[in-house]
Amino acid sequence: MNQIEQLVSKLNEAQVDAAWISHPINIFYFTGYKSEPHERLFALLVKATGECVLFCPQLEVEEVKASPFEGTIIGYLDTENPYQKYDASIKTMFIEENHLTYRRYQELTKAFHINAVYPVDPIIQEMRNIKTEHEINILSKAAQLADECMRIGEAFLKEGVTEREVVNHIENEIKAFGVNEMSFDTMVLFGDHAAAPHGTPGERQLKNNEFVLFDLGVIYQNYCSDITRTIAFGHPSDEAQKVYDIVKKAEQEAINKIKPGVKISDIDKTARQIISDAGYGEYFPHRLGHGLGLEAHEYQDISETNDNVLEEGMVITIEPGIYVPGIVGVRIEDDILVTKNGYQSLSSYQK
């Protein structure tokens, strides 16, 4: 059963007439067609009958025809009202409450005479939460390319180089491997600057005997990777090395617990407890990780408040960190697939 068939099944279970999907990433998930429409309407209508209609600007119609999408295509000119090109009365509808604007909501309900709307977001979250074998293969390749970025970055380290120079070098060199886009702004932070968990790379120069924090990922066939390594340049101080060893242990112990049926909160608590017992609890200010797929950050939330259980086919990040202001920042992160009996790390760059 493909994604659209699953959604149609959900519509019939809920006795809802149709779903209106307007987030470009979700449209890609259901159709295989990726677009950035800017201010123009771009939406997928999926009806409980199985009928699918994709509304798109006329200038994209030929590209949609060449995509895997097999439903009806309604192209419209900038001077046309796209809703007027499809005559339908739809009493109940699923919408993306986290994406649909109020203006578009008003246009939609008026055009199709809708009486009631319900959020489709939880349904799509659950669908995207479990990856297919095809998605896993792509995510694995994306992680391997992130590993390659790490190799490129580490090899470029030298005294006096700036954070921004290392970022630019990584992003330029990885293009030779077919990567055109990073998952997010590449982060390279030196020494005490890495104590800012989301610091911005700048003109800070690399000194001998300090750590370098790399946090990066690539987009490969529309899927993201997201990994972090903290790499020694020379011989960092004893305290910095101590912090590194604690983070490394916290990450590995959390990963070791991963298997279907385990509470997500227990994974977070495992890493957090190790860091707290070592006396650095106040310096670990973020969740342990997040889901990974078409977006770098997606469902699930890998935190101590999430009591959902791990399921086979989930891909998540595990990324504990300790950030001591003015001294050192360490984070280590891997992309982890939940397998039938445990886990598989998709990223493999040395620690």
Side-chain angles (χ1 to χ4, degrees), residues 75-193:
Y76 65 93
L77 301 173
D78 289 344
T79 53
E80 294 180 310
N81 181 338
Y83 301 102
Q84 292 178 353
K85 305 195 79 172
Y86 183 79
D87 186 22
S89 182
I90 303 171
K91 288 186 166 49
T92 56
M93 183 177 278
F94 276 139
I95 62 167
E96 294 163 295
E97 63 177 353
N98 293 323
H99 184 262
L100 191 67
T101 65
Y102 182 61
R103 179 174 70 84
R104 286 270 162 83
Y105 167 78
Q106 288 181 306
E107 292 172 350
L108 183 66
T109 52
K110 179 181 179 182
F112 297 142
H113 316 290
I114 297 166
N115 294 330
V117 296
Y118 310 97
V120 75
D121 308 68
I123 292 171
I124 296 176
Q125 277 185 342
E126 288 296 340
M127 290 176 65
R128 285 176 52 182
N129 186 38
I130 306 300
K131 270 60 179 181
T132 64
E133 185 177 351
H134 177 66
E135 289 178 299
I136 290 166
N137 289 337
I138 295 173
L139 285 163
S140 181
K141 178 63 176 177
Q144 291 168 24
L145 288 165
D147 287 337
E148 187 62 40
C149 288
M150 290 292 179
R151 278 187 280 275
I152 292 167
E154 183 172 11
F156 192 65
L157 296 180
K158 58 194 172 190
E159 225 170 330
V161 73
T162 68
E163 295 167 335
R164 174 46 57 187
E165 285 172 339
V166 179
V167 169
N168 292 342
H169 180 72
I170 292 169
E171 294 185 350
N172 286 332
E173 292 296 311
I174 198 62
K175 289 176 182 176
F177 294 84
V179 172
N180 297 316
E181 189 176 358
M182 307 302 285
S183 301
F184 49 88
D185 290 343
T186 300
M187 190 184 303
V188 177
L189 305 173
F190 299 157
D192 57 344
H193 193 198

Side-chain angles (χ1 to χ4, degrees), residues 61-324:
V61 167
E62 292 306 313
E63 285 196 325
V64 178
K65 287 178 180 177
S67 78
F69 179 65
E70 296 179 347
T72 301
I73 303 166
I74 293 185
Y76 65 93
L77 301 173
D78 289 344
T79 53
E80 294 180 310
N81 181 338
Y83 301 102
Q84 292 178 353
K85 305 195 79 172
Y86 183 79
D87 186 22
S89 182
I90 303 171
K91 288 186 166 49
T92 56
M93 183 177 278
F94 276 139
I95 62 167
E96 294 163 295
E97 63 177 353
N98 293 323
H99 184 262
L100 191 67
T101 65
Y102 182 61
R103 179 174 70 84
R104 286 270 162 83
Y105 167 78
Q106 288 181 306
E107 292 172 350
L108 183 66
T109 52
K110 179 181 179 182
F112 297 142
H113 316 290
I114 297 166
N115 294 330
V117 296
Y118 310 97
V120 75
D121 308 68
I123 292 171
I124 296 176
Q125 277 185 342
E126 288 296 340
M127 290 176 65
R128 285 176 52 182
N129 186 38
I130 306 300
K131 270 60 179 181
T132 64
E133 185 177 351
H134 177 66
E135 289 178 299
I136 290 166
N137 289 337
I138 295 173
L139 285 163
S140 181
K141 178 63 176 177
Q144 291 168 24
L145 288 165
D147 287 337
E148 187 62 40
C149 288
M150 290 292 179
R151 278 187 280 275
I152 292 167
E154 183 172 11
F156 192 65
L157 296 180
K158 58 194 172 190
E159 225 170 330
V161 73
T162 68
E163 295 167 335
R164 174 46 57 187
E165 285 172 339
V166 179
V167 169
N168 292 342
H169 180 72
I170 292 169
E171 294 185 350
N172 286 332
E173 292 296 311
I174 198 62
K175 289 176 182 176
F177 294 84
V179 172
N180 297 316
E181 189 176 358
M182 307 302 285
S183 301
F184 49 88
D185 290 343
T186 300
M187 190 184 303
V188 177
L189 305 173
F190 299 157
D192 57 344
H193 193 198
H198 277 178
T200 301
E203 299 308 309
R204 165 73 151 82
Q205 292 183 313
L206 181 59
K207 304 169 189 172
N208 200 22
N209 302 323
E210 62 183 2
F211 277 117
V212 177
L213 190 154
F214 295 85
D215 187 352
L216 52 81
V218 309
I219 297 177
Y220 175 71
Q221 293 185 14
N222 296 298
Y223 284 80
C224 299
S225 53
D226 179 5
I227 70 175
T228 306
R229 290 291 184 270
T230 305
I231 294 170
F233 182 74
H235 301 282
S237 69
D238 290 345
E239 181 176 3
Q241 187 61 51
K242 176 187 175 185
V243 167
Y244 180 90
D245 292 341
I246 294 164
V247 172
K248 183 179 176 183
K249 179 183 178 183
E251 194 217 17
Q252 193 56 57
E253 290 299 317
I255 290 173
N256 287 345
K257 289 199 71 170
I258 291 175
K259 63 180 180 180
V262 173
K263 281 186 180 181
I264 289 172
S265 56
D266 288 345
I267 303 297
D268 183 291
K269 289 172 185 175
T270 295
R272 202 165 298 279
Q273 192 64 53
I274 289 169
I275 292 172
S276 294
D277 288 349
Y280 289 92
E282 66 181 296
Y283 301 114
F284 179 19
H286 56 76
R287 62 188 176 178
L288 183 62
H290 49 80
L292 184 69
L294 288 168
E295 295 172 282
H297 285 208
E298 61 181 45
Y299 186 76
Q300 300 256 353
D301 174 49
I302 311 301
S303 74
E304 58 187 334
T305 60
N306 185 357
D307 287 333
N308 293 340
V309 299
L310 295 171
E311 299 177 63
E312 181 182 358
M314 286 184 182
V315 176
I316 61 175
T317 69
I318 300 295
E319 49 180 304
I322 295 175
Y323 316 92
V324 185

